[in-house]
Amino acid sequence: MIRYKKEFKQSLVEMHNQGRSYTDLSAEYGPSVDSIRNWVKLYAVHEVDCEKWTQADVNALQKGKRQTSRRT
């Protein structure tokens, strides 16, 4: 499995948000259409109580919370 850097994923997400299709991005840069689609969902920005969060932010917070709860 190929691991892509966060910056690469975010750049593809930005290109998609500017109108590029999943298919075009996949053909030009290599990751599968499904991977790019998942990254778009992961890095979509949601506003909660005037703060902006991505699903990646929420996942990181949940991971930290799980690790903390295991220690107690």
Side-chain angles (χ1 to χ4, degrees):
M1 178 190 324
I2 299 173
R3 298 269 184 197
Y4 295 99
K5 292 185 177 192
K6 181 179 179 179
E7 294 81 15
F8 175 75
K9 294 176 189 179
Q10 289 175 323
S11 68
L12 291 183
V13 168
E14 183 62 30
M15 285 186 257
H16 172 72
N17 291 341
Q18 293 175 354
R20 299 276 307 269
S21 73
Y22 295 121
T23 306
D24 288 343
L25 293 170
S26 177
E28 186 171 343
Y29 295 99
S32 71
V33 168
D34 288 335
S35 291
I36 299 169
R37 186 178 292 117
N38 289 335
W39 298 339
V40 168
K41 290 177 187 176
L42 184 66
Y43 294 110
V45 176
H46 306 280
E47 193 165 327
V48 178
D49 295 331
C50 298
E51 291 186 35
K52 294 183 180 184
W53 297 85
T54 66
Q55 187 60 47
D57 296 330
V58 173
N59 292 349
L61 287 171
Q62 288 175 334
K63 184 177 180 181
K65 185 175 182 179
R66 279 188 229 129
Q67 289 176 350
T68 302
S69 65
R70 289 182 187 158
R71 292 181 191 153
T72 58

